Amino acid sequence: MSIYRLYGTTCVRGLLAPALAVAVIAAPALHPSAPPPIPMAAEVALTATIDTSSTSVGIADSSLYFMSSAELTTAMQQLQALGVTQIRVFLPWRAIEPADGTYDWTQADQLLQTAADYGIAVDAAVTSTPTWASPYGAVVADGAPTAASDYATFVGALAARYGSAANGGDAKIAAYEIWNEPNGFAGWFPTPDATQYTALLKAAYTAIKAVDPKATV
């Protein structure tokens, strides 16, 4: 487990649902000037947006996408009890669009709806390349996509499904992160490439904003 800052927010990376009851409150102790811990009994106001204030609490957990409905419900209840108002999750392109133009929204629908039901805002890191969109096939999940336009089409579909325009003004994805750790070879195989990533970012930003102008990218 590691504690870090997201948008100025105290966050805990890598917590699994059963362990959530032990951790987040300890985060401010690492920062002498940080505000006091949130009491366990604190009320959590429903929110659909990322709170950038220094007193907000969030976690990053890449396992949430793969949980069952029951596991997600338990996780969200524990998060809410801890005062967590926002989560960073992976939405794996590789799993959601296994074939070009063929989408499986099952897990994403389940995760994002459960988070919405508990008033927890979602920062979605959209990463991992499908075999059909990668020069590395099935060998490398986080290889640089063959074409930025393929990724842009996918995030545009995400924004069309989960953005504010499609959900009565209450977006189920509060913020989009374009890829995960493209500054390292493990996140952008075979080696980081600022020019390639910039092209991906620009294409994705344009595609998301085209269908959800209010989106945060």
Side-chain angles (χ1 to χ4, degrees):
M1 183 183 76
S2 60
I3 297 172
Y4 70 108
R5 306 290 286 181
L6 170 65
Y7 304 123
T9 299
T10 302
C11 298
V12 180
R13 178 187 290 276
L15 288 177
L16 296 177
L20 287 174
V22 300
V24 178
I25 302 307
L30 296 185
H31 306 281
S33 62
I38 296 175
M40 290 297 291
E43 293 185 4
V44 179
L46 296 183
T47 178
T49 59
I50 296 296
D51 180 357
T52 61
S53 68
S54 61
T55 56
S56 60
V57 180
I59 73 149
D61 192 339
S62 57
S63 69
L64 290 170
Y65 175 84
F66 302 98
M67 288 183 180
S68 68
S69 177
E71 289 170 334
L72 277 172
T73 296
T74 298
M76 297 301 169
Q77 288 172 345
Q78 292 173 333
L79 290 169
Q80 193 179 66
L82 289 168
V84 171
T85 60
Q86 50 208 23
I87 55 177
R88 178 184 187 267
V89 303
F90 282 162
L91 289 186
W93 179 24
R94 190 182 185 94
I96 299 173
E97 192 181 8
D100 189 3
T102 300
Y103 302 104
D104 181 357
W105 302 110
T106 306
Q107 290 296 110
D109 282 352
Q110 180 174 266
L111 168 57
L112 296 171
Q113 184 58 56
T114 306
D117 290 343
Y118 283 87
I120 295 176
V122 174
D123 168 35
V126 187
T127 190
S128 86
T129 315
T131 57
W132 62 267
S134 170
Y136 311 104
V139 177
V140 179
D142 290 311
T146 304
S149 58
D150 291 332
Y151 180 85
T153 298
F154 175 67
V155 293
L158 275 181
R161 188 176 185 87
Y162 302 118
S164 58
N167 294 281
D170 295 322
K172 291 182 180 178
I173 295 178
Y176 299 80
E177 283 192 46
I178 305 307
W179 217 253
N180 178 63
E181 299 180 359
N183 58 320
F185 77 91
W188 191 271
F189 186 86
T191 187
D193 187 310
T195 299
Q196 279 187 323
Y197 177 71
T198 299
L200 188 82
L201 177 60
K202 291 169 69 174
Y205 180 93
T206 302
I208 293 168
K209 288 291 192 177
V211 294
D212 188 6
K214 297 180 179 180
T216 297
V217 181

